[in-house]
Amino acid sequence: MPDCLRHETLDAVWPVQAILDLFALPFTDLLLQAQTVHRQHHPANAVQQSSLLSIKTGACPEDCAYCPQSSRYATAVEAAPLMPLPQVLAAAKQAQAAGAQRFCMGAAWRSPTEKQLDGVIEHVQAVKSLGLETCVTLGMLKPGQAERLKAAGLDYYNHNLDTAPEYYGEIIRTRTYDDRLQTLQRVRDAGLKVCCGGIVGLGESREIRAGLIAALASLAPYPESVPINQLVKVPGTPLADTPDLDPLEFVRTIAVTRIVMPKTVVRLSAGRESMHDSTQALCFMAGANSIFHGEALLTTANPKAEADARLFQRLGLVAMPAPARPPLN
């Protein structure tokens, strides 16, 4: 078993059946337990805000069944090369002015070359100089690449497991689960923080959702940031006609994630644009304490900052204080 799947001795071991037992709790009991756990480890009404920018879009050779950036599917996404630095910096400054504490950059690659990584490192260094936390998602990393990103000042690397190991082959065939675990191990070994979550609403069963949470919780240590994405159904992708997930089942997924990984920051990610405000409110009650804000997430829509500000005001939520920056040498 890879090192990153060994259970951490200080954290509970969560078999799939134990997670299913949480899912099966009466809804209000589950939310009460999740909120109780949340308040033991996090400020009660504070939400961390991140912004996500696609810095290289489309033409990805992978076959992820949910992704409009795959070159294998006929979607409305147009391929674009690595975004010039001034354009990235302008987007980062705009996000910071709107309240973002972390700026995340995504590039649709299977695995970056060293030359491609050079360009990303330039972006990371420039965004970091603004005082923002930095995160990138670039696909699979080769030996030494995580160390280069760490040296550039990167804070987080995002690499999602997407779904449970036993369902993975139904969604992706061009890379294996072990490929993902290997990149996560390289990220950990380099001393970077891990952002790793998954997607629900892929047509999976509750048991598969429990298996995803179990896999995330068994990473040693479990991720500092866990984005829970609801499938955004894009015409042209194989999952475009997948039935909708019950909103209350999505809330249950947030609550179980919070209980199983009490210290992590649980992020409402893709799919928020289609959620009713009441669903989002229940997610915050269930322990979600991070969102992406801005008008787009890579290539899909996201609630506008003004709508989020209004929702925060109605719910009495505040921005999570930014982490203290280490002193300059």
Side-chain angles (χ1 to χ4, degrees), residues 56-316:
K56 184 273 172 185
T57 304
C60 181
E62 304 281 20
D63 69 349
C64 306
Y66 53 80
C67 186
Q69 298 199 67
S70 172
S71 60
R72 298 165 185 258
Y73 311 133
T75 69
V77 172
E78 296 184 5
L82 187 66
M83 190 177 288
L85 179 57
Q87 194 172 344
V88 173
L89 267 180
K93 290 175 181 178
Q94 182 178 2
Q96 188 175 37
Q101 298 149 326
R102 186 179 307 160
F103 191 71
C104 307
M105 295 169 275
W109 289 315
R110 173 179 169 81
S111 179
T113 65
E114 295 302 321
K115 183 177 180 181
Q116 289 167 339
L117 196 66
D118 290 341
V120 174
I121 284 173
E122 185 180 19
H123 290 24
V124 168
Q125 291 171 331
V127 172
K128 186 76 172 178
S129 71
L130 300 177
L132 287 163
E133 285 189 320
T134 53
C135 178
V136 297
T137 178
L138 312 172
M140 295 182 291
L141 294 180
K142 303 178 184 72
Q145 290 186 324
E147 286 77 8
R148 291 189 63 199
L149 289 165
K150 173 68 175 177
L154 185 69
D155 296 297
Y156 286 81
Y157 192 86
N158 168 260
H159 200 61
N160 291 334
L161 292 181
D162 285 350
T163 189
E166 60 269 27
Y167 197 64
Y168 186 81
E170 300 295 320
I171 306 300
I172 303 162
R173 293 183 174 86
T174 50
R175 72 171 83 174
T176 68
Y177 217 74
D178 283 344
D179 288 333
R180 291 188 182 267
L181 295 175
Q182 184 179 64
T183 286
L184 289 170
Q185 190 64 55
R186 287 172 176 161
V187 169
R188 276 290 181 216
D189 289 345
L192 290 166
K193 294 178 182 177
V194 170
C195 176
C196 181
I199 308 171
V200 298
L202 300 171
E204 79 284 352
S205 64
R206 176 180 280 184
E207 186 170 4
I208 294 299
R209 285 189 286 281
L212 167 64
I213 295 172
L216 291 166
S218 65
L219 297 173
Y222 57 71
E224 287 86 355
S225 177
V226 175
I228 301 296
N229 300 275
Q230 181 170 262
L231 174 67
V232 177
K233 293 178 282 188
V234 180
T237 62
L239 297 179
D241 298 320
T242 304
D244 290 341
L245 183 68
D246 179 356
L248 294 184
E249 183 70 10
F250 184 85
V251 177
R252 283 183 181 273
T253 304
I254 295 293
V256 172
T257 301
R258 165 54 65 221
I259 293 167
V260 171
M261 291 173 278
K263 297 178 183 178
T264 197
V265 173
V266 179
R267 178 181 297 141
L268 293 182
S269 294
R272 238 180 14 101
E273 191 269 340
S274 64
M275 286 183 195
H276 193 276
D277 284 355
S278 60
T279 302
Q280 293 190 63
L282 285 172
C283 287
F284 293 125
M285 180 68 187
N289 60 340
S290 176
I291 61 167
F292 275 127
H293 73 180
E295 295 186 16
L297 295 183
L298 297 181
T299 60
T300 57
N302 195 53
K304 294 183 178 180
E306 295 85 352
D308 286 334
R310 288 194 298 270
L311 180 60
F312 274 37
Q313 184 176 27
R314 291 165 63 199
L315 298 179

Side-chain angles (χ1 to χ4, degrees), residues 12-34 37 206 210 213-214 217 248-249 251-262:
V13 175
W14 286 96
V16 171
Q17 185 55 55
I19 295 174
L20 283 170
D21 291 344
L22 288 175
F23 266 104
L25 288 172
F27 186 75
T28 53
D29 291 353
L30 176 61
L31 260 62
L32 176 61
Q33 184 172 337
V37 170
R206 176 180 280 184
I213 295 172
L248 294 184
E249 183 70 10
V251 177
R252 283 183 181 273
T253 304
I254 295 293
V256 172
T257 301
R258 165 54 65 221
I259 293 167
V260 171
M261 291 173 278

